[in-house]
Amino acid sequence: MNPSQLRVSQVFVVGGLPTITYNPRATLNLEEELRDYLDEGHRVLSVSGPTKTGKTVLVRNVMPESDAIWLSGGSIKTVDDFWETIADKLGLFTGVEYTSDNKDEDWNARSGGFSLKVLKGAIERKEVVGSSQGSKVTRSRHVSTVVREAINGLTDPIIVDDFHYVPADVQLDIVRAIKDLVFNGLRFVVIAVPHRAYDVVRVEKEMTGRVQQIEVGFWSPDELLGIPRKGFDALGFIDREEALMQRLADETFASPHLMQDFCLQLCKSNGYRVQPDSAVELEAPGWEEFFRKRSKMASKTAFDVLVRGPRQRTIRQSRKLKNGSEKDIYGVILEAIAKTGPRVSLTYEDIRTSIREVLASDIPQRHQVVRVLEAMSKIAKKDLEGEPVVDYDKDLATLYISDPYFAFFLRWGMR
């Protein structure tokens, strides 16, 4: 490999910070809004957007780790976790030590019996004879006190990624604790999924009017196409009439993460892991096999956990589907969700309509469907690593497919 050649994985970065294929989505002025917030302050900034739509990448590009204090919401279970993590980042200590010394000294003089030519007379040698006493006092200060003093007037922003992972009661404690610091100019940024974007206001009503919202949102087809356009150009790949990248964009569920992944795998399916010596034209793979293979690596584990449902002693009732198969209520509801496309947000009525379309028998009652949706949401939060793939909001009677990889699996893995 020529040292000047790029690796394909360097260009199409999955789950990291891309450089060559980074798209600031300039028409939305997102970076400008972030910089305006840094200039102005005096508010909490909530950056919201669906999972894997580039929220964190966007914020990190404007507020890199070298210029900000980054915290992970998934590691904050108590308010003390919040303070202690900041203390560790800033290298602060909560212990204070006071010491004092008292010395009693006596000087004894002794004359020597010789002389120097330069100085007439004898040299007098002095010796110190005495004792010293000391005392030491230590005191521990609460970590919140130490951190509050350190960040009061801090110019670097504090950023909590995945703020929706923080328990609601802890969110309240954090917001109340930093409220006065924000009013004094502290830049405090939270990153969350869209239906949790207003958690800061929900948990503390006094923050109404003190929270600035930046919505990242799903990517447009042209924004998604910017990734392979930049990447293929850097690697020397040719895509006639952009047919391949258009096909990939159709299956991304508006997620730049999926587009990066698809582009990487397309290059590998053509036999390239590094940049070729000269320009080459990429060929289309067998799309059915290509997407099915990707779906197995996406969220099959999440699907298996959800379709199994919570453990229970009784056997669930099987229901016959119009395709001839039989499934319990968990399988039926996932089939119904998949049949919608799947769409990334579905009201109860949307799900009920789709259940009617897939079932050959009578549909379950409302309370049964809602109970399953709530159970799936709990399972997704407790039993699956990472951001929950589904989240049912009981107040809004809406199910959100939070993870485009899971939506992609429902589309291709369930066929």
Side-chain angles (χ1 to χ4, degrees), residues 351-413:
I351 297 171
R352 182 182 179 84
T353 299
S354 189
I355 291 174
R356 185 178 289 111
E357 292 175 359
V358 301
L359 266 183
S361 56
D362 294 337
I363 66 172
Q365 296 181 7
R366 179 187 179 95
H367 74 274
Q368 293 175 303
V369 175
V370 170
R371 176 177 55 79
V372 170
L373 295 175
E374 290 178 340
M376 284 185 179
S377 184
K378 289 180 181 178
I379 292 170
K381 291 176 182 176
K382 293 180 61 177
D383 299 343
L384 295 173
E385 294 184 4
E387 194 161 319
V389 294
V390 293
D391 191 357
Y392 183 70
D393 191 316
K394 187 176 181 179
D395 295 335
L396 300 177
T398 301
L399 178 74
Y400 298 92
I401 299 180
S402 307
D403 190 339
Y405 277 84
F406 184 65
F408 176 71
F409 176 82
L410 292 181
R411 178 172 172 79
W412 284 95

Side-chain angles (χ1 to χ4, degrees), residues 258-274:
L258 273 173
M259 179 57 101
Q260 295 274 8
D261 190 11
F262 290 166
C263 290
L264 175 64
Q265 302 308 322
L266 177 64
C267 295
K268 289 183 177 181
S269 71
N270 274 262
Y272 296 101
R273 294 180 178 271
V274 298

Side-chain angles (χ1 to χ4, degrees), residues 152-168:
N152 192 14
L154 184 72
T155 56
D156 292 343
I158 295 176
I159 303 165
V160 183
D161 199 1
D162 294 327
F163 188 66
H164 48 277
Y165 281 176
V166 181

